[in-house]
Amino acid sequence: MTSDGPRPPPRRRFFGAFGRRELKGLFWQVLVVGIAVGVIAFLWSNTVTNLSARRITTGFAFLGREAGMPIADSLLAYNPRDTYLWAFVVGIANTLRVAVIGIVLATILGTLIGISRLSANWLLSRLAAVYVETLRDIPLLLQLLFWYVLMQALPAARAAFRPLEGVFLSNRGLILPAIPIGVPQLWVLGTAALGCAVFYVFRRRQIAQQMRDGKPRSAWPFALGLIVVLPAAASVLLGVPWAIEWPALRGFNFVGGLTLAPEYFALLIALVTYTSAFIAEIVRSGIQSVPRGQWDAANALGLRRSFMLRQIILPQALRVIVPPMTSQYLNLTKNSSLAVAIGYQDVVSVANTTLNQTGQAIEAIALIMAVFLTISLGISFFMNWYNSRIALVER
């Protein structure tokens, strides 16, 4: 038998709960962070020293000075006597003008081409495949230059193409009929947007009630009242004019209507066609990820193919489509910075001009980075929210 003698005291771990492994990990983390801080401090000190030696001031005070730069094609009203800050705002608006419209058009075109690749029509499927493989393999910059040169090769305004009544295509760009939008029209459009939001909330409650009691409820009278009748009543009460402004040739240029400048039109076509080729493959792979049994069940019920795709296949495919689609939206937004190659004055072009005029290189580049970071985070946040809404919920 062994006698129970006094047990040796337990070994105390150094620094309380930290063992050797934890201390080693903490040491390397502190070392890496210290090196990173040291490198940043060195670069900052070196930059400040060089700027002081060249008598270049730092800061964003230059944004309050008169810009003096022309911006030919701007969504917002601009004058060269405006400040650099307003010039940056105009450049951001031009970037968003390309990105938002480009995302919508590329999504529509890419979805149609992706569905066409799966068509039973051999010719349509092959044409869609050629479109995808051709545009994906040509650099975007070359496509952008191609479309811009093609726009410059169009006839002059007097000999412009007229594919439709009131539509002109020339080296001045694409000219379309338009409805002038002012403050009264914005009030009516805001009423329509409010009606859409109210109808969305109302429809969700209707669907929830139908799921509880199984009684179908008609929604079209409420949609008609909120989205059509309410804005129409606001338009009548405010006396808002909705006359269409038709473009007309006056001398060597067009007057009236909506003008899409050659630089903007070429950039939009290049971004939409290039990005839609990638979106088409995403849509095709998403549709093919849906189990074959879903197709067979829909065919057994005698459903039309268009209804089958819209109501059964695509809602399930969205769970596969949305995540890579987010990357394509981000790519289109960032690729819009290539506008500087053809002279379209987006935020990058405005920043480059500001840099050359003021010498504030660091500040101008920092503003560009902040703008694209903000836009990209906004797109990612919205797409992640939408993806969480359509994701499968495990039970």
Side-chain angles (χ1 to χ4, degrees):
M1 296 181 63
T2 60
S3 60
D4 294 335
R7 295 182 179 179
R11 297 179 60 185
R12 292 187 178 182
R13 301 178 68 182
F14 191 57
F15 284 105
F18 286 99
R20 180 176 299 177
R21 181 178 300 178
E22 288 81 0
L23 282 175
K24 185 177 181 180
L26 179 63
F27 169 76
W28 284 111
Q29 293 178 44
V30 172
L31 180 62
V32 170
V33 172
I35 292 175
V37 171
V39 170
I40 294 174
F42 170 76
L43 293 176
W44 177 259
S45 175
N46 187 56
T47 301
V48 171
T49 302
N50 290 334
L51 291 175
S52 300
R54 291 166 175 77
R55 298 181 180 180
I56 298 177
T57 58
T58 58
F60 295 91
F62 70 96
L63 292 175
R65 304 206 306 258
E66 180 180 315
M69 72 174 76
I71 299 180
D73 185 17
S74 60
L75 185 63
L76 304 176
Y78 174 80
N79 189 286
R81 292 190 296 272
D82 292 330
T83 62
Y84 281 111
L85 178 60
W86 184 247
F88 268 99
V89 172
V90 172
I92 294 171
N94 284 350
T95 296
L96 292 174
R97 180 188 178 195
V98 173
V100 174
I101 298 177
I103 286 174
V104 173
L105 295 180
T107 302
I108 296 173
L109 182 59
T111 302
L112 293 176
I113 294 173
I115 295 174
S116 299
R117 287 210 65 181
L118 300 174
S119 173
N121 187 310
W122 183 88
L123 180 60
L124 180 61
S125 176
R126 293 302 95 194
L127 288 176
V130 170
Y131 176 92
V132 170
E133 297 302 330
T134 301
L135 293 181
R136 288 200 311 171
D137 295 336
I138 300 177
L140 176 58
L141 181 58
L142 293 181
Q143 296 186 41
L144 177 59
L145 295 176
F146 167 79
W147 287 110
Y148 181 65
V149 171
L150 188 63
M151 290 295 299
Q152 297 300 318
L154 290 174
R158 289 183 176 273
F161 295 119
R162 298 184 61 178
L164 297 172
E165 182 64 28
V167 178
F168 300 90
L169 183 61
S170 68
N171 57 8
R172 301 279 182 170
L174 179 65
I175 296 88
L176 304 169
I179 299 177
I181 300 296
V183 175
Q185 287 83 2
L186 290 177
W187 277 105
V188 177
L189 295 176
T191 304
L194 179 61
C196 292
V198 173
F199 175 72
Y200 174 77
V201 175
F202 175 78
R203 183 56 181 164
R204 285 184 60 86
R205 291 186 177 180
Q206 268 195 332
I207 294 174
Q209 291 175 353
Q210 182 176 342
M211 295 296 292
R212 287 194 297 267
D213 56 26
K215 297 180 180 179
R217 293 171 171 81
S218 179
W220 70 265
F222 300 96
L224 183 65
L226 291 171
I227 302 175
V228 178
V229 176
L230 183 62
S235 178
V236 172
L237 292 175
L238 297 175
V240 179
W242 294 98
I244 299 178
E245 187 178 76
W246 295 89
L249 183 63
R250 296 287 186 271
F252 296 99
N253 205 348
F254 294 96
V255 177
L258 174 65
T259 301
L260 304 181
E263 295 80 9
Y264 172 78
F265 195 43
L267 177 64
L268 186 63
I269 293 176
L271 290 175
V272 168
T273 53
Y274 181 77
T275 309
S276 64
F278 291 89
I279 291 178
E281 286 297 276
I282 294 173
V283 171
R284 181 179 68 86
S285 62
I287 292 175
Q288 288 182 329
S289 69
V290 178
R292 185 65 192 177
Q294 299 289 320
W295 294 87
D296 296 337
N299 287 324
L301 293 174
L303 300 178
R304 297 190 308 273
R305 186 174 178 84
S306 59
F307 180 86
M308 186 194 315
L309 281 171
R310 188 174 65 255
Q311 299 294 337
I312 299 175
I313 304 302
L314 283 179
Q316 299 181 68
L318 281 176
R319 300 179 179 95
V320 178
I321 291 174
V322 169
M325 190 84 81
T326 303
S327 298
Q328 294 306 317
Y329 291 166
L330 295 175
N331 288 338
L332 187 147
T333 302
K334 291 180 287 187
N335 287 336
S336 66
S337 60
L338 292 175
V340 69
I342 59 174
Y344 178 70
Q345 291 175 290
D346 67 335
V347 66
V348 176
S349 178
V350 171
N352 285 340
T353 305
T354 302
L355 186 156
N356 293 327
Q357 290 180 350
T358 63
Q360 309 287 144
I362 297 176
E363 292 83 354
I365 295 175
L367 286 173
I368 297 175
M369 295 171 63
V371 167
F372 279 103
L373 178 62
T374 303
I375 297 174
S376 298
L377 289 177
I379 294 174
S380 298
F381 176 81
F382 174 78
M383 295 300 292
N384 289 335
W385 169 81
Y386 180 70
N387 189 41
S388 65
R389 292 293 303 272
I390 64 174
L392 287 174
V393 179
E394 298 291 340
R395 295 184 179 180

